[in-house]
Amino acid sequence: MTDTRTDGTEDLTDLYREYGDQRLPPGQRETDAFPVLSKAGTPSWGPENAFEVWGAVDEPFSLSLEAFRDLPAVTQKQDFHCVTGWSKLDCAFTGVEFAEIANRAGVHADAEHVMFHALDGYTTDLPLAECTREGVLFAYGYDGDDLPSDHGGPLRVVTPHKYAYKGAKWVCGVEFLTESALGYWEKRGYSDTANPWNEERYG
Ligand SMILES: Nc1nc2c(c(=O)[nH]1)N[C@H]1C(S)=C(S)[C@@H](COP(=O)(O)O)O[C@H]1N2
Ligand SMILES: [Mo]
C-alpha cells in the first residue's frame, strides 16, 4: 500500500495497525451508506458564527470560515467508526490538521486536554496528545465536495482512532484545558477513551 496517491490524498486506513491486525474493530459491521447521527437536528452556520480558539493558549483567535479555508489543508482517506456499530471505510476528508491550529494558538505547556464545542451545544473532550497526532482534522470537504450539513458541514472534527462521537460536527470552538472534563455523551455514560479496537463503548 502506498501512503500518498498521485492526487495527493494521504492514506490513513492502516491506522488500525497500532491496535492489532483487524481493520474493522470488534463488534462493528461495515456499511456502504453514511448514516447521520445527531443529538437533535442540523444547526446552520450563520454570518454571526466564527471558529474560535481559547483557553490555555498564548494567542486566542477567531477565524471566519473563509479564513479557515485559506489555511494549509490535507486530504486523507480514513475509516469512520460509530459506537452504535457501523463503520464506513475509505472516507476522503479534506481539512486542516489539529496541529496546525494548536501551533497558531501557542498552546501552554500545562495544557493537557481539549474541549470541542459545537453549534448545537454538543461538546466532546480528548487529551491533547490524542489530538495532535495524525488523522485529527477540522474537515470541510468530503469525497471531493463540501461536507454535507447533516454530516457537520461547514466544519467538523474527525477522529479515526476513536469512535466518531469524539468528532464534533458544526465545530465552532476549541478550548484548551489544563484538566480533563466530560463532553455531552461522556457525561451520559459513553467511554471517555473511546478506542474502537478495545471496544471502549461505555465509561
Ligand atoms: N455537534 C455534534 N457533533 C456530533 C454529534 C452531535 O449530535 N452533534 N454526534 C456524534 C456522534 S454520536 C456520531 S456517531 C457522529 C456521527 O457523524 P455523522 O452524522 O456524520 O455520521 O458525530 C458525532 N458528532
Ligand atoms: Mo455515535
Side-chain angles (χ1 to χ4, degrees), residues 78-138:
Q78 309 188 341
D79 297 340
F80 190 98
H81 308 293
C82 175
V83 70
T84 61
W86 54 267
S87 290
K88 181 162 176 58
L89 306 183
D90 298 319
C91 302
F93 289 110
T94 299
V96 176
E97 290 182 292
F98 182 93
E100 176 78 31
I101 296 300
N103 290 340
R104 285 174 69 95
V107 179
H108 291 173
D110 62 350
E112 287 187 356
H113 274 260
V114 180
M115 185 68 84
F116 296 92
H117 299 263
L119 282 188
D120 60 345
Y122 189 81
T123 51
T124 187
D125 165 274
L126 279 173
L128 178 58
E130 298 275 14
C131 296
T132 48
R133 51 161 295 149
E134 200 175 32
V136 180
L137 303 180
F138 293 98

Side-chain angles (χ1 to χ4, degrees), residues 46-75:
E48 72 283 10
N49 295 119
F51 175 83
E52 305 209 37
V53 178
W54 73 93
V57 296
D58 290 335
E59 299 284 343
F61 65 90
S62 171
L63 290 175
S64 67
L65 281 178
E66 272 187 339
F68 200 94
R69 283 172 175 266
D70 285 338
L71 297 174
V74 296
T75 297

Side-chain angles (χ1 to χ4, degrees), residues 34-40 80 82-83 86 118-120 122 150-152 156 164-170 185:
F34 193 177
V36 169
L37 265 117
S38 305
K39 69 181 179 70
F80 190 98
C82 175
V83 70
W86 54 267
L119 282 188
D120 60 345
Y122 189 81
D150 52 356
H151 287 300
R156 77 169 301 160
Y165 63 88
K166 289 292 181 178
K169 304 197 283 188
W170 316 293
W185 281 122

